[in-house]
Amino acid sequence: MLYARYLLQLSWYLLTPLFLLCVPQALYIKKTALRLPEAQGDTCVRHGTHEPTLTFLHFGESTVAGVGVKELSQGLSAQLCYALSNELSTRNNMSVECKITGQNGIRFGGINECIKRNKRSADFAIITMGVNDTTGLTSIKQWHHGIQDSIQALNNQGIKIVLFTQVPPMAQFPALPAPFKYLLGLRAYLLDFELQRLCQRNEGCHYVGSKLVVAKEMMAEDGYHPSALGYKAWAEQITPQILQHLRR
């Protein structure tokens, strides 16, 4: 796996000249991209009336902040809460509650500051990061340390199960033009590869993969974030994996 990592990094370095040619594309996208606000609403979501209650914390970037929808109740965290509750209420008579901490544009260093300020206990935590570290060209070393720091901070707070969602495959984002999207896609894959490697090495940490659905109704109007339907589909897709990891 380490050999594959170095091979991927070499591929990235070899493509650096092409990246320089894409700088005008990147500047144009930055200037013209539609910027949507973060969603509004309660950052603590509960679903179900049963006891006991399964609790989780969800930290992350714009997709956790609900960019692409108007209310947090339509976003990924709340939809995960609903999907998990629907499974657990019938099988285990359990409710689910989550605390949402998301910020548009944040990178791993920033989200780790949010984690360290957290005062809530929970049964597990989910971290959804990667897009901003991809576009910001966070180094693999910085990304590595960011992941390790988040795990350590959560463990210190008594949270021993940490789930990381897949770094989104940016080559599939409708808002990004070629060839720029393919370079970002490679960079995202590099970060995702390192994330998977670290999840295998750290006890209690698990990687949660998914398949991006880019149908028009699944994407927000910016072509960059999920719509309400997209968040719902994403949550329903990864819920079985989350439950499988929790049952282990």
Side-chain angles (χ1 to χ4, degrees):
M1 194 169 188
L2 195 60
Y3 174 79
R5 173 193 174 193
Y6 290 137
L7 188 60
L8 284 168
Q9 285 184 271
L10 177 61
S11 300
W12 171 258
Y13 293 136
L14 290 174
L15 288 171
T16 299
L18 180 58
F19 185 84
L20 295 175
L21 292 175
C22 290
V23 168
Q25 268 190 330
L27 293 174
Y28 178 78
I29 293 166
K30 186 175 182 179
K31 183 178 179 180
T32 61
L34 178 62
R35 289 172 173 79
L36 300 177
E38 295 180 359
Q40 302 297 307
D42 195 346
T43 57
C44 187
V45 178
R46 179 184 173 89
H47 194 254
T49 57
H50 298 292
E51 292 293 346
T53 300
L54 180 72
T55 60
F56 72 95
L57 309 176
H58 196 179
F59 298 95
E61 51 192 359
S62 57
T63 47
V64 179
V67 175
V69 294
K70 293 182 178 180
E71 298 291 332
L72 282 171
S73 59
Q74 301 171 296
L76 177 61
S77 306
Q79 292 302 320
L80 275 173
C81 191
Y82 302 149
L84 287 167
S85 177
N86 289 338
E87 289 289 331
L88 293 172
S89 62
T90 53
R91 296 182 185 182
N92 304 88
N93 290 325
M94 294 179 71
S95 299
V96 180
E97 182 177 287
C98 72
K99 176 67 171 65
I100 306 167
T101 303
Q103 184 178 324
N104 194 9
I106 201 167
R107 290 206 234 173
F108 233 120
I111 209 64
N112 282 339
E113 291 302 313
C114 294
I115 291 172
K116 290 171 185 175
R117 290 195 297 267
N118 171 61
K119 303 300 180 184
R120 294 175 63 101
S121 62
D123 295 306
F124 67 101
I126 302 175
I127 297 177
T128 298
M129 293 293 293
V131 169
N132 298 313
D133 286 284
T134 297
T135 58
L137 300 181
T138 297
S139 71
I140 300 300
K141 184 177 180 179
Q142 289 174 316
W143 175 253
H144 175 108
H145 287 311
I147 295 167
Q148 290 292 160
D149 288 349
S150 67
I151 296 167
Q152 187 63 55
L154 289 165
N155 287 173
N156 289 344
Q157 296 169 14
I159 301 170
K160 302 301 183 183
I161 301 176
V162 185
L163 308 177
F164 291 88
T165 57
Q166 177 181 346
V167 177
M170 296 191 69
Q172 298 180 40
F173 281 21
L176 298 176
F180 184 56
K181 68 193 305 181
Y182 300 121
L183 285 171
L184 287 181
L186 174 59
R187 190 69 193 173
Y189 186 76
L190 268 167
L191 297 186
D192 191 66
F193 190 86
E194 182 67 6
L195 175 61
Q196 292 183 56
R197 194 176 75 87
L198 290 178
C199 284
Q200 291 178 0
R201 290 178 55 186
N202 285 273
E203 185 177 357
C205 295
H206 306 285
Y207 173 85
V208 180
S210 58
K211 291 184 179 179
L212 179 67
V213 181
V214 294
K216 185 177 180 180
E217 66 273 13
M218 295 293 179
M219 301 298 294
E221 58 182 319
D222 64 355
Y224 201 77
H225 293 91
S227 64
L229 279 175
Y231 280 125
K232 184 174 184 291
W234 187 3
E236 290 175 347
Q237 186 181 136
I238 66 177
T239 290
Q241 292 180 66
I242 294 172
L243 288 172
Q244 184 179 29
H245 291 311
L246 293 178
R247 285 171 183 145
R248 287 176 181 172

